[in-house]
């Protein structure tokens, strides 16, 4: 199940939401203030994980020097 991070435009609350399907289109409401003015936030876990794995694959795919 994908986990999405959101940030409320009204109160600044950051929260995560587990979705059963990526096809679910309904925007969540902020759990703190109830506002529907939320936007997807960038997940630091996802960014950090992608960065580390790309460095690891680049290191293993480099041709051996002679």
């Amino acid at each position: 199940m994908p986990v999405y991070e959101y940030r409320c435009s009204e109160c600044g609350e950051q929260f995560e939401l587990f979705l059963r399907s990526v096809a679910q289109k309904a925007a969540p409401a902020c759990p703190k203030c109830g506002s529907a003015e939320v936007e997807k936030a960038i997940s630091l876990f996802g960014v950090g994980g992608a960065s580390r794995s790309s460095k690891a694959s680049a290191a293993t795919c480099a041709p051996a020097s002679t």
Side-chain angles (χ1 to χ4, degrees):
M1 280 192 282
V3 177
Y4 293 97
E5 292 185 25
Y6 291 89
R7 182 182 171 279
C8 178
S9 299
E10 295 292 319
C11 70
E13 177 76 5
Q14 289 189 280
F15 60 98
E16 297 176 343
L17 182 65
F18 296 95
L19 296 177
R20 292 183 187 264
S21 169
V22 291
Q24 183 177 347
K25 300 287 184 189
C30 174
K32 184 175 181 181
C33 71
S35 173
E37 297 295 321
V38 298
E39 57 189 32
K40 282 188 179 178
I42 297 173
S43 170
L44 295 179
F45 175 76
V47 172
S51 167
R52 283 190 293 267
S53 65
S54 63
K55 285 181 184 176
S57 12
T60 57
C61 294
S65 58
T66 56

